[in-house]
Amino acid sequence: MSVEFEGKKSNDIHNKNLKFEVEDLDVEDNDENIESLESSLKVSRKKFLFKADACILTYVCLQYWINSVDRVGFSNAYVTGMKQSLNLAGKDFNIINSCYSIGYIISMVPHNIMLLKVKPKYYLGLCTLIWGIITIVLHCVNTFSQCCALRFFQGVFESCTFSGTHLILGSWYLEKELPFRSAIFTSSGLIGSLFSGFMQVGIYNSMDGVSGLQGWRWLFIIDGIITMPIVILPLFIFPDTPDIIMKDLENDGAKGVSFMDKIDYYLSKLSLIDKIFSREELIYAKKRLPIRDETIAADDDNDDEDEEDNDEAEKESSNEKNKSSSNFISTLTNWTIWKRIFGRWHWYMFSLVWALGGLNISWCSNSTFLLYLTNKGYSIANRNHYPMGVPGVGVFATLLSSVYLTFKPKGHIAPIIFISVVLFITAIMIRSNPTNTVQMFVAEYLAGISYAGQVVFFSWCNIVTGNDIQERAITLASMNMFSVAVNAWWSIIFYPATDVPEFRNGTYAMMATTVATAIVSIAIGYLYKRDEKKRSQTINYVDLSSDALR
């Protein structure tokens, strides 16, 4: 059964009558239609979600976990002997981290575009392999410049993980399912930070001096070795995305003619997906999702464009999405994609708000607590143990935020305001009396709540841009890109190792960014509600309270 409605002169309908299947329009958050789809395919939603979580979350969480272990491991190595061994001084630590950030920044958008062109299980596995090798090579460094070079390339390949995974999660889960899965993924990285501290202490105590290597060098070797099994895991259990699955089902496992198609054919024999999921469940994975067509959600700001331009844009957009032969370069150089993205407020506002949100995390991500403990002369064990409470608070706050958003799918502003208020108070505590040990410890642990912003903002962006896969991929990557780009120089100015323990400028900076984050978030909420109202006036045949058109 289908529903027909009249178009108006705008990009939303392209001046023509359009027909869409009811099950494609109003599946999301509509239990009646989802149950009808499940009944026709004879699929259990709970069983499907369990399988999807087991395959998708297992891999992406392990990948992000080892990503965090490798990344935080450098900070732990710095305070457990590397600084003295390499004669690092002044802002050398911050400059090395900035080199990592630069590599991270320039590769995020290309990574997400590649994930639309290459099967994620291959691309993510390759990136993990390369950064794992670089991690092992780090044990050989003897100079400051070597650290800068290796950390740069480590950042290039590690940047595929965070925004890439949010892109993939948004391709699998409905709005009410997404926050909790995003929270589990984000928490896995925080747990990686916890684990790195424990591991560094254990390695330092048991392996320092073994085979003539210092403990911090063994940390990099062991980190890299742990990474290797995660490299091959996606070949067995990772199901890529529903769009890719549907294409594979249509091809029915046929072997392609190109060299890469033949490699894919043979590697796919390792996959257990067809044994874990039934064919009906794989079809259900795609059919249950809301419609993914940017022409429906196009902004009304282009109402004055003529019909010929609209038809041409629609045709080019459709070709871009359906051509399997389209490549990375064609996406980067296709003006219709960039015109569509830059013609909406989504890219600008979400990039801005997460640049601010990332700065709120700067207090934790720049290892200020670790530097504080080193400055105060705490033992190596305590330097690695005490900061573990910060990501612990982050895990708790992240999961709590996800539970709230599960029951209040459109309530993103409330947790953002709460996080901003707590961080503002934290900055006041640190600025008012940095010599008070108890007050500093409490403030440092409270700052861990900033990590909850990740699940709030990235799940929100996934929802708002969910109708357009290309916009979603580039916006998610841009959010992280601008956050890291600003933090690359922000940390040098406001959180240099030389400013410990006061971090006077850093506390004032955090006060400013928390206020700005709240203001921009309220603006996003207003713009989003305005667009919802416009869509409901344009297409009043669908209950937009269930977000059917995203």
Side-chain angles (χ1 to χ4, degrees), residues 20-171:
F20 297 98
E21 295 301 315
V22 168
E23 55 264 33
D24 287 334
L25 274 173
D26 56 2
V27 165
E28 184 169 2
D29 290 337
N30 189 321
D31 288 339
E32 182 179 343
N33 285 285
I34 291 180
E35 288 172 5
S36 175
L37 179 62
E38 291 164 358
S39 177
S40 63
L41 291 173
K42 297 180 180 180
V43 170
S44 166
R45 188 190 319 182
K46 290 184 177 179
K47 186 180 292 186
F48 166 79
L49 286 176
F50 175 79
K51 292 179 180 180
D53 290 343
C55 293
I56 299 168
L57 291 180
T58 296
Y59 172 64
V60 298
C61 287
L62 282 173
Q63 190 200 33
Y64 192 41
W65 169 79
I66 196 61
N67 181 298
S68 298
V69 169
D70 291 347
R71 186 170 61 250
V72 177
F74 188 86
S75 297
N76 290 329
Y78 176 80
V79 299
T80 52
M82 174 187 273
K83 178 182 178 181
Q84 293 75 19
S85 297
L86 305 186
N87 296 315
L88 301 178
K91 296 182 180 180
D92 287 351
F93 176 71
N94 302 90
I95 294 172
I96 293 170
N97 282 340
S98 293
C99 290
Y100 173 89
S101 298
I102 292 169
Y104 203 94
I105 292 162
I106 63 175
S107 54
M108 268 185 282
V109 170
H111 280 317
N112 267 21
I113 294 176
M114 286 298 293
L115 287 171
L116 299 180
K117 305 298 179 183
V118 181
K119 287 188 175 182
K121 64 184 175 187
Y122 299 145
Y123 191 72
L124 294 178
L126 176 63
C127 289
T128 307
L129 172 65
I130 296 173
W131 96 54
I133 293 172
I134 293 173
T135 300
I136 294 175
V137 174
L138 271 169
H139 91 277
C140 300
V141 295
N142 290 305
T143 65
F144 166 73
S145 59
Q146 290 173 351
C147 287
C148 290
L150 288 173
R151 287 289 283 169
F152 169 82
F153 287 107
Q154 195 173 35
V156 167
F157 292 99
E158 286 190 0
S159 65
C160 71
T161 304
F162 189 78
S163 55
T165 295
H166 280 290
L167 172 65
I168 292 167
L169 293 178
S171 300

Side-chain angles (χ1 to χ4, degrees), residues 328-355:
F328 174 77
I329 300 299
S330 70
T331 301
L332 283 178
T333 57
N334 190 318
W335 171 239
T336 61
I337 295 174
W338 297 103
K339 183 180 179 182
R340 195 170 71 238
I341 293 170
F342 294 143
R344 300 167 180 163
W345 60 264
H346 306 154
W347 182 85
Y348 302 98
M349 296 300 284
F350 278 109
S351 295
L352 173 61
V353 79
W354 187 241

Side-chain angles (χ1 to χ4, degrees), residues 363 431 494 499 501-509:
W363 188 266
R431 180 70 194 97
F494 294 105
D499 279 9
E502 289 86 2
F503 291 108
R504 181 176 181 273
N505 293 332
T507 53
Y508 288 132

Side-chain angles (χ1 to χ4, degrees), residues 145-402:
S145 59
Q146 290 173 351
C147 287
C148 290
L150 288 173
R151 287 289 283 169
F152 169 82
F153 287 107
Q154 195 173 35
V156 167
F157 292 99
E158 286 190 0
S159 65
C160 71
T161 304
F162 189 78
S163 55
T165 295
H166 280 290
L167 172 65
I168 292 167
L169 293 178
S171 300
W172 274 94
Y173 295 104
L174 303 178
E175 179 176 338
K176 65 182 180 181
E177 300 165 352
L178 189 58
F180 190 66
R181 273 77 183 181
S182 296
I184 293 174
F185 166 70
T186 302
S187 297
S188 68
L190 297 174
I191 292 171
S193 300
L194 279 166
F195 181 82
S196 182
F198 279 116
M199 189 169 71
Q200 176 59 48
V201 173
I203 292 172
Y204 183 83
N205 290 335
S206 61
M207 301 194 69
D208 187 39
V210 174
S211 297
L213 295 177
Q214 296 163 292
W216 65 266
R217 295 186 186 274
W218 277 111
L219 174 67
F220 292 127
I221 295 173
I222 294 173
D223 279 357
I225 292 172
I226 295 174
T227 303
M228 294 307 149
I230 299 173
V231 170
I232 63 172
L233 182 62
L235 297 178
F236 298 98
I237 68 167
F238 195 65
D240 291 315
T241 66
D243 288 326
I244 292 174
I245 287 173
M246 290 300 292
K247 288 180 181 178
D248 287 344
L249 289 176
E250 291 170 4
N251 294 334
D252 200 24
K255 182 165 62 173
V257 294
S258 71
F259 176 71
M260 293 305 297
D261 286 339
K262 291 177 181 178
I263 291 178
D264 177 38
Y265 175 78
Y266 289 113
L267 287 178
S268 65
K269 300 296 183 182
L270 299 173
S271 177
L272 302 174
I273 295 303
D274 59 343
K275 297 177 178 61
I276 296 172
F277 293 91
S278 67
R279 184 180 179 87
E280 290 73 21
E281 286 173 328
L282 295 176
I283 295 173
Y284 172 73
K286 172 63 178 175
K287 295 290 290 181
R288 78 193 197 101
L289 296 173
I291 189 168
R292 306 286 190 185
D293 186 344
E294 69 277 357
T295 61
I296 290 194
D299 293 334
D300 285 332
D301 295 338
N302 297 320
D303 285 352
D304 57 344
E305 293 185 3
D306 57 37
E307 181 175 357
E308 182 179 348
D309 289 341
N310 287 338
D311 288 340
E312 182 181 349
E314 180 191 29
K315 194 176 299 181
E316 289 187 41
S317 176
S318 177
N319 289 339
E320 180 65 26
K321 288 199 290 183
N322 294 328
K323 273 195 319 182
S324 60
S325 61
S326 62
N327 55 41
F328 174 77
I329 300 299
S330 70
T331 301
L332 283 178
T333 57
N334 190 318
W335 171 239
T336 61
I337 295 174
W338 297 103
K339 183 180 179 182
R340 195 170 71 238
I341 293 170
F342 294 143
R344 300 167 180 163
W345 60 264
H346 306 154
W347 182 85
Y348 302 98
M349 296 300 284
F350 278 109
S351 295
L352 173 61
V353 79
W354 187 241
L356 294 168
L359 295 181
N360 293 338
I361 298 177
S362 287
W363 188 266
C364 302
S365 63
N366 284 291
S367 306
T368 56
F369 195 18
L370 203 157
L371 294 173
Y372 170 82
L373 296 171
T374 303
N375 177 265
K376 292 298 182 181
Y378 283 79
S379 68
I380 288 177
N382 287 335
R383 289 179 215 170
N384 287 282
H385 279 148
Y386 288 151
M388 293 176 192
V390 177
V393 171
V395 170
F396 176 78
T398 297
L399 293 176
L400 196 63
S401 297
S402 72

